[in-house]
Amino acid sequence: MTAWWRWYAALGAVGCVVYFLVPTIVWAQSVFALVGASAVAATVIGTRMHRPANRRAWLAIAAGTALWVLGDIVYEWIHVTRGSVPYPSLADALYLLGYPIYGFGLFLLARHKWRASERGHVANSAIVMVAFGLLTWVFAVQPSLGGEGISGIAGLVDVAYPAMDIFLLGLLAHFVGSRQWRALSYRLLTVAVALLVVTDTVNNFAIVSDSSSDRSLFDVGWIISYVLIGVAALHPSMRRITNPNIESNAHLMASFTTPTVVVLTAATLTAPIVMFIEVVRDEPIAQWGWAVLLCALALVVLVIIRITDLLRLLHTQTVQLRAVADTDHLTGLANLRALEHRLWGNAGESTVLTVDIDRFKEINDTFGRGLGDQVLVLVAERLRGVADDSILLARLAGDEFALCGSSESMDPAALAHEIQLRFATPFEVGNMTLLIEASVGVASTSPTGDGEDETTPDRLVQRADLAVQAAKAAQSRVAYYDRSMDRDKSEQLIMLGELTTALETDQLRLHYQPQVDLTTMTVVGVEALLRWHHPNGTVLSPSAFLPTAERTGLIRPLTSYVLTHALAQRRQWMSDGLELSIAVNISTRNLFDDTLIGQVCTALKEFDCPPGRLTLEVTETSAMTDPVGATEALSILHAMGVQVAIDDYGTGYSSLAYIERLPVQELKIDRTFIGGMAHNPAHEAIVRSTVELARTLGLSVTAEGVEDEVTMTTLRELRCGRAQGYHLGRPTSADRLPALVAEIDARLNTATGERIS
């Protein structure tokens, strides 16, 4: 069925050739009528076959074409029966009636129904119609009328034919301006109309209005128009010609395309060109006639209308572009640019509240960015309920929002409290319920005269961002900017640079704290503790610099440094006859780093360390950040034979039952509970129950922070596996460790022997 249009196009081409090859005019006119009738049939068949959306439009086109074909038949019948055709005749009536019906179908096809935004296309069509009408009147109609003017029915028909061509030409301009030009069927119809208008115009300018029935090369334009109409109706693309629901601005833009502007410019120049020609002809202005002056006036009015439309379009687009530039596309809120404009426009002091969603990255990583975007939209809706008309709500970037207003109209404390209350209600996203927390940072412009420059908008936003970072560590999740945050930020940046230098210049050292087996009372392992020997003479513990390293990629080389140096030192001890296991701490970022497994494998192989002699310690909080991801990483380590321990157990929020699901072999009870056992019965009960439950689950237990003999004795009575602390041995350098181990073993064996004796 889709090839029918190709067959019809081929047969139509054959018909055009046969029209000029048949020997008699009667046969030629029969072929002409047959091709026209086939176009009508093709249009009806194509409409029934493809079922287009604008079915009425195609039926109107078929009806108009049918009237033209009927006019051809009547014209030839009169010519055959009477020998000559009077002018005007019934054929002329059929021809003229076919024009408006055919044109109505074209209009329905192009626009389907009228909308106010169509005014631009109609004005374009009117300009082309007036310009073409002026040319036709001056160079075709007026000369044919002579000095007699329009008289009788024949005169009216003489004017009606070019008027109908003008009407079709206007529709053609309307057609080309349509958004449906990409459909081949649409383009074929456009060519058919253009060819029809050109053929009619050539005949009008040649003053071919007699009753001659001889074949003419002009006839090829009409017969090809018939063929193109049939091909357009049979082509499958005709079903896609629908009336698009386009906004008004889109219609205005479509009416100002480059080809349209070129055509309109040429049409507008028609009036002055015609007047110039009349002057060159030495025609008196009084004899130009009312048509020239009327057309010139109409062109001026229409051009003014189009210029007005263009100015209105430019203004609308400017407003829209400004709105788009100041709007976040996802939430519809203002963006950072709009926020800064608002801050610049505030005459007095301004206050900015920055709202940051906690652990939003986990939502994206777990459920995907699509659901993350839905969460952002819901967050925006809740924040809209907090902000009134005096407060600007904006989305800065990612999961960060801001509220901005004058300091006089905003109560930051009340606003922050209201935000926290709204986030206390869970979010319903899809078929899930998510409890989302947010941190709020508050910053205000500094009053002038305080010894510093006036706060700029970007500086104010930066201060609010510093405050929101501090809020993440606060119990209330709300923080207010103070100048110490600037110092903290600068100190962190300085430390980051110094830490990079420390890695390159061997300022880092590993100290080792012994771990004692409470059953054999011997040293069986050590925990590697990183220390930074700063050039200023101080020794920094990991808590002073690891948080900064964790926020950057520097934590990866630090972990690699600890692993390689610790295992290298263990091999050295092995060669000296000291067999020890070694424990290394890894951070949250390490745990979810894809390179961690590779680092561990490389280090174990390089230093010939059995996997069971290496223990990786992760904090309880790290493991609970993403239990699914932690389980995956720890399972791989466990499968390798590496021991995994939960460090600082008891300080987080997880239960021992949940810890049991993780592939870990050891719990290290935090020093907070161990140190309080001697004077706090509750702590002793916690330690006792933890040891018993861990033993039941097949986990070993190490007690941290053993500071006295009483605590060690109690732990032995509880059958705790291992212990470490200052009472047993302080952290020391690698070269001093063998002597410390020998001293601890001798001391513990002596003490145990004394108790036994």
Side-chain angles (χ1 to χ4, degrees):
M1 293 177 63
T2 56
W4 281 21
W5 69 276
R6 300 180 188 274
W7 285 106
Y8 181 80
L11 292 175
V14 171
C16 294
V17 174
V18 170
Y19 172 74
F20 287 98
L21 294 181
V22 292
T24 64
I25 188 62
V26 175
W27 282 102
Q29 292 299 331
S30 299
V31 172
F32 191 94
L34 182 62
V35 171
S38 70
V40 177
T43 305
V44 175
I45 292 172
T47 302
R48 293 179 61 86
M49 182 170 58
H50 298 304
R51 299 184 181 277
N54 296 336
R55 188 175 180 181
R56 286 193 307 160
W58 287 99
L59 293 179
I61 291 173
T65 307
L67 286 171
W68 289 338
V69 174
L70 185 59
D72 294 333
I73 295 173
V74 170
Y75 184 90
E76 187 59 28
W77 178 76
I78 295 175
H79 181 266
V80 171
T81 57
R82 295 188 180 184
S84 63
V85 181
Y87 183 79
S89 67
L90 177 60
D92 293 304
L94 294 172
Y95 289 144
L96 292 175
L97 182 60
Y99 279 100
I101 296 176
Y102 185 88
F104 178 69
L106 293 179
F107 182 80
L108 287 181
L109 197 64
R111 299 301 165 192
H112 191 55
K113 63 180 180 180
W114 175 261
R115 284 192 294 267
S117 56
E118 302 288 344
R119 189 183 71 172
H121 289 290
V122 174
N124 291 348
S125 300
I127 291 174
V128 174
M129 290 170 64
V130 171
F132 186 74
L134 177 60
L135 292 174
T136 304
W137 176 265
V138 172
F139 298 106
V141 177
Q142 197 174 34
S144 68
L145 296 176
E148 300 178 358
I150 300 176
S151 60
I153 297 178
L156 291 174
V157 173
D158 283 337
V159 176
Y161 274 112
M164 290 296 102
D165 288 331
I166 293 171
F167 169 67
L168 287 183
L169 188 63
L171 284 175
L172 183 63
H174 204 52
F175 227 48
V176 174
S178 172
R179 292 286 295 257
Q180 311 190 51
W181 181 253
R182 58 182 175 270
L184 178 60
S185 178
Y186 202 80
R187 295 196 294 269
L188 289 172
L189 274 180
T190 303
V191 175
V193 175
L195 194 58
L196 180 65
V197 171
V198 170
T199 304
D200 281 356
T201 302
V202 171
N203 278 272
N204 287 331
F205 274 68
I207 320 177
V208 183
S209 58
D210 59 1
S211 59
S212 174
S213 60
D214 294 335
R215 282 173 287 187
S216 169
L217 288 177
F218 296 138
D219 296 341
V220 73
W222 284 311
I223 195 170
I224 292 177
S225 295
Y226 284 150
V227 174
L228 290 176
I229 292 170
V231 174
L234 291 173
H235 194 272
S237 65
M238 65 93 74
R239 72 165 65 96
R240 300 198 305 268
I241 304 178
T242 57
N243 183 51
N245 185 18
I246 306 173
E247 297 295 331
S248 175
N249 288 340
H251 279 295
L252 286 173
M253 292 176 65
S255 66
F256 281 112
T257 59
T258 300
T260 303
V261 171
V262 172
V263 172
L264 293 181
T265 301
T268 305
L269 294 175
T270 301
I273 290 174
V274 167
M275 292 181 180
F276 175 77
I277 292 174
E278 293 293 290
V279 171
V280 171
R281 286 179 174 180
D282 200 22
E283 293 286 346
I285 295 179
Q287 296 182 11
W288 286 2
W290 57 268
V292 175
L293 297 178
L294 185 60
C295 288
L297 178 61
L299 285 174
V300 170
V301 173
L302 290 171
V303 168
I304 291 175
I305 291 174
R306 298 306 287 134
I307 291 175
T308 303
D309 288 340
L310 178 59
L311 294 177
R312 182 164 59 90
L313 172 62
L314 293 176
H315 173 72
T316 302
Q317 288 184 328
T318 301
V319 173
Q320 290 179 342
L321 288 174
R322 286 177 179 173
V324 169
D326 291 339
T327 303
D328 173 61
H329 72 281
L330 177 63
T331 62
L333 301 179
N335 57 17
L336 177 59
R337 181 176 182 270
L339 178 69
E340 291 180 344
H341 285 172
R342 175 69 171 269
L343 291 172
W344 279 115
N346 285 346
E349 293 186 32
S350 299
T351 298
V352 172
L353 275 75
T354 301
V355 181
D356 188 85
I357 303 174
D358 296 338
R359 298 182 298 279
F360 181 73
K361 184 178 183 300
E362 297 175 22
I363 297 176
N364 274 339
D365 293 344
T366 305
F367 304 109
R369 295 187 178 274
L371 187 134
D373 287 346
Q374 295 180 45
V375 170
L376 292 175
V377 172
L378 292 176
V379 168
E381 289 298 324
R382 292 204 180 177
L383 292 178
R384 281 191 180 98
V386 175
D388 56 26
D389 294 338
S390 64
I391 299 174
L392 176 68
L393 174 60
R395 180 188 174 208
L396 303 184
D399 60 333
E400 193 172 26
F401 297 81
L403 294 90
C404 163
S406 64
S407 299
E408 293 80 7
S409 61
M410 288 180 63
D411 183 350
L415 203 56
H417 179 68
E418 178 65 22
I419 291 172
Q420 295 294 348
L421 286 179
R422 289 182 179 268
F423 273 83
T425 304
F427 286 75
E428 300 293 335
V429 187
N431 58 352
M432 291 181 296
T433 300
L434 299 178
L435 183 59
I436 299 173
E437 297 179 326
S439 300
V440 181
V442 183
S444 299
T445 52
S446 300
T448 58
D450 63 351
E452 66 172 33
D453 294 335
E454 184 178 355
T455 306
T456 58
D458 58 336
R459 181 62 176 146
L460 182 58
V461 173
Q462 181 189 14
R463 288 178 173 179
D465 189 57
L466 289 174
V468 83
Q469 296 303 319
K472 290 182 178 296
Q475 181 69 27
S476 64
R477 296 289 183 182
V478 178
Y480 296 82
Y481 167 80
D482 61 60
R483 294 182 184 178
S484 65
M485 295 178 182
D486 284 328
R487 291 193 294 271
D488 292 343
K489 195 71 172 180
S490 61
E491 289 172 0
Q492 289 176 9
L493 292 175
I494 294 172
M495 178 178 289
L496 187 61
E498 291 179 342
L499 189 54
T500 304
T501 304
L503 275 168
E504 299 171 351
T505 58
D506 201 28
Q507 297 176 19
L508 301 177
R509 299 283 191 278
L510 286 180
H511 289 200
Y512 301 90
Q513 185 170 29
Q515 295 178 333
V516 175
D517 187 322
L518 294 179
T519 301
T520 63
M521 295 302 288
T522 58
V523 177
V524 293
V526 293
E527 179 181 358
L529 303 173
L530 185 62
R531 298 291 184 266
W532 180 6
H533 291 257
H534 199 276
N536 62 11
T538 60
V539 179
L540 302 177
S541 65
S543 61
F545 57 87
L546 280 186
T548 300
E550 282 190 321
R551 286 192 288 268
T552 67
L554 199 57
I555 192 64
R556 184 181 295 174
L558 278 176
T559 303
S560 178
Y561 175 90
V562 174
L563 272 174
T564 55
H565 282 72
L567 294 181
Q569 187 58 57
R570 180 191 175 278
R571 185 173 63 178
Q572 179 62 45
W573 290 329
M574 280 284 296
S575 64
D576 296 338
L578 182 61
E579 174 72 18
L580 296 172
S581 62
I582 195 160
V584 173
N585 291 279
I586 60 174
S587 71
T588 303
R589 188 158 180 170
N590 289 137
L591 185 59
F592 303 108
D593 187 351
D594 295 336
T595 65
L596 175 65
I597 307 300
Q599 285 182 345
V600 173
C601 289
T602 301
L604 290 173
K605 184 176 180 180
E606 180 180 356
F607 300 106
D608 195 25
C609 176
R613 288 294 187 176
L614 173 64
T615 300
L616 296 181
E617 298 183 1
V618 297
T619 64
E620 182 182 2
T621 303
S622 298
M624 292 301 101
T625 298
D626 180 4
V628 176
T631 301
E632 181 180 354
L634 297 178
S635 295
I636 297 175
L637 292 170
H638 178 62
M640 292 167 51
V642 175
Q643 302 297 298
V644 179
I646 297 296
D647 196 15
D648 300 333
Y649 180 75
T651 59
Y653 303 98
S654 60
S655 66
L656 187 61
Y658 195 88
I659 289 291
E660 187 268 336
R661 302 177 191 174
L662 295 173
V664 300
Q665 296 78 45
E666 181 183 346
L667 295 182
K668 298 188 72 174
I669 304 177
D670 188 69
R671 65 181 67 250
T672 303
F673 302 101
I674 301 300
M677 287 177 59
H679 53 80
N680 191 329
H683 284 191
E684 181 182 353
I686 290 173
V687 174
R688 183 187 303 276
S689 62
T690 301
V691 171
E692 291 176 354
L693 287 173
R695 187 184 304 114
T696 302
L697 295 174
L699 303 177
S700 62
V701 178
T702 298
E704 297 182 291
V706 178
E707 307 296 335
D708 51 51
E709 180 73 18
V710 175
T711 301
M712 184 184 71
T713 302
T714 304
L715 289 171
R716 291 192 70 190
E717 293 173 353
L718 296 177
R719 298 172 62 190
C720 181
R722 292 185 183 183
Q724 67 184 75
Y726 284 178
H727 176 69
L728 299 172
R730 291 175 177 268
T732 188
S733 59
D735 57 339
R736 296 184 57 187
L737 184 73
L740 178 61
V741 170
E743 186 270 328
I744 293 172
D745 286 345
R747 173 165 51 87
L748 291 178
N749 288 335
T750 301
T752 305
E754 292 175 354
R755 286 196 298 273
I756 293 175
S757 62

